[in-house]
Amino acid sequence: DAMVIQNPRYQVTQFGKPVTLSCSQTLNHNVMYWYQQKSSQAPKLLFHYYDKDFNNEADTPDNFQSRRPNTSFCFLDIRSPGLGDAAMYLCATSRDKGQQPNQPQHFGDGTRLSIL
Amino acid sequence: AQKVTQAQTEISVVEKEDVTLDCVYETRDTTYYLFWYKQPPSGELVFLIRRNSFDEQNEISGRYSWNFQKSTSSFNFTITASQVVDSAVYFCALSEATYGNKLVFGAGTILRVKS
């Protein structure tokens, strides 16, 4: 089945140690998103790629970076994780084209990040 | 500015009861899109419905129905004959044509269905 796959499902890292979360998709969607969701809160958009164009949200900390080497893969890099970065990280995709904008986003199962 | 309000933090019902989840939104755009997503305990967000601002028709899909009223800026979601498997967090979300793909979520409503 076509889907959005996030690895790993659970990630534990040490305070200040860089960590990378990965997302792949078989939907061939042109837009990929990263969200942060803290406990009992709504998902919050960090950034997204519209094709190869990177769009960063104004309030996303510099500590968070992203890479999209090809259509299928997108990575979230946290350069120096702090205790406040412990959260669920959700990857999503959508197929948005000029005449069909704002299409539904399809989410992966998420990666739950813990910081020791 | 775009904003979504889900005033109900948590709702508990007994199986087979009907339940309505409220969603009120704010936007200055004339073109916008409204969504509902379900997040079960396993964590993934599941897309339920998308509505654009020009389509005020109500929609029914099985036990689910949605009531979109622009006059009150509301997009409410009703589950008929609720089941235990409906237990989840439900998010209402808004995206505006001006801001492209950005989804703004409400705080979510926790629905607990007891057998």
Side-chain angles (χ1 to χ4, degrees):
Chain A
D1 288 342
M3 57 176 58
V4 181
I5 302 166
Q6 290 189 244
N7 284 306
R9 189 72 196 272
Y10 300 92
Q11 176 74 56
V12 181
T13 192
Q14 292 179 338
F15 182 94
K17 184 174 182 180
V19 64
T20 294
L21 310 182
S22 71
C23 176
S24 64
Q25 54 127 343
T26 58
L27 297 161
N28 201 31
H29 285 173
N30 62 315
V31 191
M32 293 188 78
Y33 311 78
W34 279 105
Y35 288 86
Q36 179 191 64
Q37 186 179 22
K38 295 188 175 180
S39 182
S40 303
Q41 296 185 21
K44 180 178 176 299
L45 182 65
L46 295 172
F47 25 58
H48 73 278
Y49 276 93
Y50 193 112
D51 297 317
K52 294 182 180 180
D53 294 333
F54 178 69
N55 298 272
N56 196 34
E57 291 301 299
D59 55 356
T60 297
D62 292 340
N63 199 24
F64 291 85
Q65 307 281 320
S66 186
R67 296 171 283 135
R68 189 179 184 186
N70 53 53
T71 301
S72 301
F73 285 87
C74 196
F75 300 98
L76 169 62
D77 300 310
I78 308 176
R79 292 191 296 185
S80 183
L83 296 178
D85 296 328
M88 173 79 89
Y89 290 88
L90 295 162
C91 175
T93 71
S94 67
R95 184 194 298 277
D96 279 51
K97 296 295 183 183
Q99 294 300 317
Q100 294 182 322
N102 303 76
Q103 292 296 307
Q105 296 181 20
H106 298 263
F107 287 80
D109 290 345
T111 294
R112 188 169 296 282
L113 178 66
S114 300
I115 314 294
L116 298 180
Chain B
Q2 40 180 204
K3 183 179 178 182
V4 177
T5 301
Q6 294 180 254
Q8 304 150 307
T9 304
E10 185 170 338
I11 301 175
S12 289
V13 298
V14 177
E15 217 172 8
K16 298 184 183 176
E17 283 186 21
D18 298 347
V19 59
T20 295
L21 310 181
D22 297 333
C23 173
V24 174
Y25 61 91
E26 294 177 29
T27 178
R28 293 179 183 169
D29 268 23
T30 55
T31 302
Y32 55 89
Y33 303 82
L34 295 164
F35 303 80
W36 276 95
Y37 284 85
K38 173 182 179 181
Q39 189 172 40
S42 50
E44 79 278 19
L45 276 160
V46 178
F47 164 72
L48 296 177
I49 189 171
R50 168 185 182 266
R51 257 293 174 262
N52 72 52
S53 50
F54 301 108
D55 181 4
E56 276 192 86
Q57 277 192 327
N58 292 330
E59 180 156 339
I60 298 175
S61 176
R63 295 185 297 106
Y64 295 171
S65 62
W66 291 269
N67 184 307
F68 178 23
Q69 292 197 340
K70 289 177 75 171
S71 60
T72 55
S73 297
S74 65
F75 186 44
N76 296 337
F77 172 30
T78 298
I79 302 174
T80 302
S82 59
Q83 300 176 1
V84 173
V85 293
D86 296 327
S87 298
V89 183
Y90 290 86
F91 290 99
C92 181
L94 164 73
S95 66
E96 297 173 329
T98 302
Y99 291 98
N101 316 78
K102 179 175 180 174
L103 264 183
V104 173
F105 287 87
T109 296
I110 301 170
L111 175 63
R112 302 190 196 279
V113 182
K114 302 174 184 175
S115 59

